[in-house]
Amino acid sequence: MKSFMALRNCLLILCVALAACQSAAQEPVEFDIAAIEVAGKSLPVEFANTPEQRARGLMYRQSICEDCGMLFRFVPVRQASMWMKNTFVPLDVAFIDGNGVITDIKPLMPHDLTSVGASKAVMYALEMNQGWFAANNVRVGDHISIKI
Protein backbone atom coordinates (compact mmCIF):
# COMPACT_ATOMS: atom_id res chain seq x y z
CA MET A 1 0.00 0.00 0.00
CA LYS A 2 2.87 2.39 0.84
CA SER A 3 4.48 1.81 -2.57
CA PHE A 4 1.16 2.57 -4.27
CA MET A 5 0.84 5.84 -2.33
CA ALA A 6 4.45 6.78 -3.15
CA LEU A 7 3.84 6.04 -6.85
CA ARG A 8 0.61 8.06 -6.80
CA ASN A 9 2.40 11.02 -5.16
CA CYS A 10 5.21 10.86 -7.73
CA LEU A 11 2.68 10.85 -10.57
CA LEU A 12 0.86 13.84 -9.08
CA ILE A 13 4.13 15.76 -8.76
CA LEU A 14 5.03 14.87 -12.35
CA CYS A 15 1.62 16.05 -13.62
CA VAL A 16 1.95 19.37 -11.77
CA ALA A 17 5.50 19.86 -13.11
CA LEU A 18 4.40 19.12 -16.69
CA ALA A 19 1.48 21.53 -16.41
CA ALA A 20 3.82 24.23 -15.09
CA CYS A 21 6.25 23.66 -17.98
CA GLN A 22 3.44 23.88 -20.55
CA SER A 23 2.11 27.06 -18.96
CA ALA A 24 5.61 28.62 -18.86
CA ALA A 25 6.23 27.66 -22.50
CA GLN A 26 3.28 29.77 -23.61
CA GLU A 27 4.06 32.84 -21.49
CA PRO A 28 4.84 35.90 -23.62
CA VAL A 29 8.45 36.58 -24.58
CA GLU A 30 9.36 40.17 -25.44
CA PHE A 31 11.38 40.70 -28.61
CA ASP A 32 13.58 43.57 -29.71
CA ILE A 33 13.09 45.17 -33.14
CA ALA A 34 15.61 45.20 -35.98
CA ALA A 35 15.36 47.19 -39.21
CA ILE A 36 16.02 45.37 -42.46
CA GLU A 37 16.16 46.61 -46.01
CA VAL A 38 15.68 44.16 -48.85
CA ALA A 39 14.34 44.47 -52.39
CA GLY A 40 13.77 48.20 -51.91
CA LYS A 41 11.61 47.68 -48.83
CA SER A 42 12.47 48.85 -45.32
CA LEU A 43 10.83 46.69 -42.69
CA PRO A 44 10.87 46.46 -38.91
CA VAL A 45 11.09 42.81 -37.84
CA GLU A 46 11.18 41.16 -34.47
CA PHE A 47 14.71 40.38 -33.35
CA ALA A 48 15.49 37.13 -31.49
CA ASN A 49 18.85 37.89 -29.93
CA THR A 50 18.87 36.17 -26.53
CA PRO A 51 18.81 32.38 -26.06
CA GLU A 52 15.28 32.66 -24.62
CA GLN A 53 14.10 34.71 -27.62
CA ARG A 54 15.75 32.35 -30.12
CA ALA A 55 14.21 29.32 -28.39
CA ARG A 56 10.71 30.83 -28.60
CA GLY A 57 10.87 32.32 -32.09
CA LEU A 58 7.44 32.42 -33.70
CA MET A 59 6.05 29.51 -31.67
CA TYR A 60 2.38 29.49 -30.64
CA ARG A 61 1.33 32.27 -33.05
CA GLN A 62 -1.68 31.58 -35.23
CA SER A 63 -0.66 34.19 -37.83
CA ILE A 64 1.78 36.99 -38.59
CA CYS A 65 1.12 40.09 -40.69
CA GLU A 66 2.01 40.16 -44.39
CA ASP A 67 5.35 41.98 -44.06
CA CYS A 68 6.19 40.76 -40.54
CA GLY A 69 9.03 38.44 -39.71
CA MET A 70 11.67 37.49 -37.20
CA LEU A 71 15.44 37.89 -37.43
CA PHE A 72 17.72 35.50 -35.55
CA ARG A 73 21.41 36.28 -34.92
CA PHE A 74 24.00 33.54 -34.40
CA VAL A 75 27.18 34.41 -32.54
CA PRO A 76 29.56 32.89 -33.28
CA VAL A 77 28.78 32.47 -36.97
CA ARG A 78 27.70 28.87 -37.61
CA GLN A 79 25.97 26.51 -40.00
CA ALA A 80 22.60 27.26 -38.41
CA SER A 81 19.39 25.30 -38.70
CA MET A 82 15.75 25.91 -37.84
CA TRP A 83 12.73 23.75 -37.03
CA MET A 84 9.02 24.38 -36.56
CA LYS A 85 8.15 22.94 -33.15
CA ASN A 86 4.88 24.50 -31.90
CA THR A 87 4.82 26.84 -34.91
CA PHE A 88 1.46 27.13 -36.69
CA VAL A 89 2.40 29.51 -39.53
CA PRO A 90 4.05 28.22 -42.74
CA LEU A 91 7.30 30.16 -43.14
CA ASP A 92 10.29 30.59 -45.41
CA VAL A 93 13.70 31.13 -43.88
CA ALA A 94 16.51 33.06 -45.53
CA PHE A 95 19.95 32.27 -44.15
CA ILE A 96 22.26 35.31 -44.34
CA ASP A 97 26.04 35.46 -44.06
CA GLY A 98 28.07 38.08 -42.17
CA ASN A 99 28.15 40.32 -45.26
CA GLY A 100 24.35 40.39 -45.52
CA VAL A 101 24.21 38.04 -48.51
CA ILE A 102 21.40 35.48 -48.65
CA THR A 103 22.94 32.01 -48.88
CA ASP A 104 19.72 29.96 -48.87
CA ILE A 105 15.95 30.38 -48.85
CA LYS A 106 14.09 27.31 -47.60
CA PRO A 107 10.45 26.48 -46.79
CA LEU A 108 9.41 25.54 -43.25
CA MET A 109 6.18 23.64 -42.64
CA PRO A 110 4.08 24.01 -39.47
CA HIS A 111 4.97 21.60 -36.65
CA ASP A 112 7.72 19.91 -38.71
CA LEU A 113 10.54 18.83 -36.39
CA THR A 114 12.93 18.27 -39.29
CA SER A 115 16.01 20.46 -38.94
CA VAL A 116 16.36 22.74 -41.99
CA GLY A 117 19.88 24.07 -42.27
CA ALA A 118 21.99 26.61 -44.07
CA SER A 119 24.42 25.39 -46.72
CA LYS A 120 27.30 27.22 -45.03
CA ALA A 121 28.13 29.27 -41.94
CA VAL A 122 25.76 32.21 -41.45
CA MET A 123 25.24 35.04 -39.00
CA TYR A 124 21.48 35.51 -39.43
CA ALA A 125 18.26 33.73 -40.31
CA LEU A 126 15.18 35.70 -41.36
CA GLU A 127 11.79 33.99 -41.11
CA MET A 128 8.93 35.45 -43.13
CA ASN A 129 5.52 34.17 -44.25
CA GLN A 130 5.86 31.35 -46.75
CA GLY A 131 6.05 32.83 -50.25
CA TRP A 132 7.11 36.30 -49.06
CA PHE A 133 10.61 36.12 -50.55
CA ALA A 134 9.31 34.92 -53.94
CA ALA A 135 6.47 37.49 -53.96
CA ASN A 136 9.00 40.26 -53.29
CA ASN A 137 11.51 38.97 -55.86
CA VAL A 138 14.12 38.20 -53.18
CA ARG A 139 16.58 35.48 -54.20
CA VAL A 140 19.69 33.68 -53.04
CA GLY A 141 22.64 36.02 -53.61
CA ASP A 142 20.63 39.18 -52.82
CA HIS A 143 21.84 41.52 -50.09
CA ILE A 144 19.90 42.36 -46.93
CA SER A 145 20.88 45.43 -44.93
CA ILE A 146 20.40 44.82 -41.19
CA LYS A 147 20.33 47.49 -38.48
CA ILE A 148 20.09 46.25 -34.94
Side-chain angles (χ1 to χ4, degrees), residues 26-126:
Q26 293 183 27
E27 288 180 14
V29 173
E30 297 293 322
F31 291 92
D32 299 320
I33 300 294
I36 63 167
E37 189 172 315
V38 60
K41 284 188 167 191
S42 295
L43 303 171
V45 293
E46 291 180 278
F47 180 43
N49 189 40
T50 69
E52 179 185 52
Q53 291 168 333
R54 283 190 301 273
R56 175 59 63 89
L58 292 169
M59 286 181 176
Y60 306 110
R61 300 193 193 183
Q62 298 298 318
S63 65
I64 61 173
C65 76
E66 184 178 330
D67 284 332
C68 293
M70 185 170 288
L71 181 69
F72 298 79
R73 179 168 57 180
F74 306 105
V75 177
V77 171
R78 69 188 107 187
Q79 197 159 352
S81 61
M82 310 296 276
W83 67 342
M84 295 287 283
K85 183 177 182 178
N86 299 317
T87 307
F88 295 89
V89 181
L91 302 169
D92 284 336
V93 60
F95 291 104
I96 306 159
D97 70 16
N99 295 317
V101 176
I102 298 173
T103 63
D104 308 89
I105 298 174
K106 297 185 176 180
L108 300 170
M109 298 309 294
H111 306 290
D112 187 353
L113 300 182
T114 305
S115 183
V116 175
S119 61
K120 63 182 192 175
V122 294
M123 183 176 282
Y124 299 100
L126 176 63

